[in-house]
Amino acid sequence: MTRVNHCRLLGAPVGSGAGVRGCELGPAALRQAGLADALRARGWQVTDLGDARPEPGPLSHPANPALRYFSETTAWIRGIGRAAQTAGRDGALPVFLGGDHALSAATVPAMARRARAGGRPLFVLWLDAHPDFHTLDSSTSGNLHGTPVAYFTGAAGFTGFPPLRDAVAPRRVCMMGLRSIDADEAARLAGSGIAALRMGALRRAGVTAPLERFLDRVAAEDGDLHVSLDADFLDPRLAPAVGTAVPGGATLEEAGRIAALLGESGRVTSLDLVELNPRLAAARRTAALLIALAADILPPCPEALRHTGS
């Protein structure tokens, strides 16, 4: 695949999809913590496009009364989706700064559309404690950050969301680090074709082999690869500034190994950094860790290698 050296940052300051407000402050926190400088140090040309804005649409009244902030969140999904298409133009590598994980209902379809236009499939690596595989009908929390994977893989019943032009085939989705799966999600995942890998199983077998198998499939199909990194993928002792912390998350060694394999593969074409909540404890430490992982996930550009003498 063709290597690029231009990275575009796009803020996606949506917080209405989460149960705890504060993720809307995440893009500013990642910028202030030095994300752009960290990527430039890896040889990337970085352009910051600023923040996406919500785009209101027709009023919709979903049947599930538990759903919270539906119109507000779907307006964000429309606006982020439109801006994401701009961020991915001309072969640039977009990094989407969250915001809660509802933003992936915008970023992933936009990247799937870009991949299709280039004659390639899109693969998605979902690094998260949660599968976010609820439909609008199955959600009991009512938090829409729990629905993006069901939406972008083409599940029925998403009236009120933007029409999905380019669904991602479930067999091209790999989830790693799962620790909190609701019963309805578990039942639907079992027959979905998604590779849903729990953290406990990864800890016993190691993260290297399953990720290498997935990356081999991406390479075999010459696919684009979107990585969606949720801060709660990490153990909350390392990254506490998340509203949905689940014990037993990835260690520094495990997360670092995953990031290094992704960087070495050269397959990553877009990246989400989500669920950083600066209102919670140790926000700077959490932001710094996300930035360090992001810098390793994106392969160093030739310019950086020349400067280091590699």
Side-chain angles (χ1 to χ4, degrees):
M1 63 185 295
T2 303
R3 290 288 299 274
V4 298
N5 66 351
H6 187 195
C7 175
R8 291 195 183 108
L9 308 183
L10 177 67
V14 54
S16 56
V20 178
R21 288 288 187 136
C23 290
E24 64 274 11
L25 304 175
L30 288 166
R31 289 181 174 111
Q32 291 167 5
L35 175 60
D37 287 342
L39 297 180
R40 290 188 182 105
R42 299 277 283 180
W44 290 90
Q45 298 175 14
V46 180
T47 301
D48 193 334
L49 300 180
D51 289 346
R53 297 182 179 181
E55 183 179 308
L59 290 178
S60 181
H61 302 284
N64 182 353
L67 296 179
R68 305 167 70 244
Y69 307 114
F70 187 82
S71 295
E72 181 181 350
T73 306
T74 53
W76 273 113
I77 291 169
R78 292 185 196 94
I80 295 167
R82 187 179 300 277
Q85 293 177 35
T86 299
R89 286 179 182 168
D90 307 318
L93 192 153
V95 178
F96 303 108
L97 317 182
D100 68 60
H101 226 153
L103 69 86
S104 294
T107 60
V108 174
M111 295 301 97
R113 183 177 180 182
R114 180 179 74 161
R116 179 180 59 80
R120 299 178 301 278
L122 182 71
F123 288 74
V124 176
L125 179 64
W126 195 259
L127 302 175
D128 197 334
H130 310 85
D132 295 345
F133 203 52
H134 275 293
T135 66
L136 298 187
D137 292 331
S138 72
S139 175
T140 55
S141 71
N143 298 324
L144 290 174
H145 70 169
T147 65
V149 181
Y151 169 66
F152 69 63
T153 54
F158 277 89
T159 301
F161 274 51
L164 185 63
R165 298 182 182 181
D166 296 286
V168 177
R171 67 181 180 84
R172 295 190 175 113
V173 179
C174 178
M175 299 176 171
M176 298 183 73
L178 300 179
R179 307 188 298 286
S180 177
I181 308 175
D182 292 342
D184 180 84
E185 292 178 301
R188 294 181 60 248
L189 278 171
S192 69
I194 291 173
L197 307 176
R198 294 177 183 259
M199 196 67 237
L202 289 174
R203 189 146 289 145
R204 291 189 295 272
V207 300
T208 300
L211 181 54
E212 286 181 335
R213 286 194 295 269
F214 182 64
L215 290 172
D216 286 345
R217 291 178 51 214
V218 179
E221 295 191 46
D222 192 25
D224 287 358
L225 175 58
H226 180 88
V227 176
S228 197
L229 173 59
D230 190 313
D232 71 24
F233 168 72
L234 300 158
D235 191 272
R237 292 172 296 181
L238 300 173
V242 293
T244 51
V246 183
T251 64
L252 279 176
E253 181 180 1
E254 290 162 340
R257 180 60 178 154
I258 289 170
L261 286 170
L262 290 169
E264 291 165 8
S265 77
R267 304 301 314 187
V268 177
T269 53
S270 49
L271 173 64
D272 296 332
L273 300 174
V274 306
E275 295 284 348
L276 170 66
N277 189 328
R279 292 181 177 173
L280 302 178
R284 290 184 180 180
R285 173 156 55 96
T286 305
L289 182 49
L290 288 176
I291 289 170
L293 291 172
D296 285 342
I297 286 170
L298 305 188
C301 292
E303 290 83 352
L305 294 176
R306 282 198 295 271
H307 290 322
T308 60
S310 301

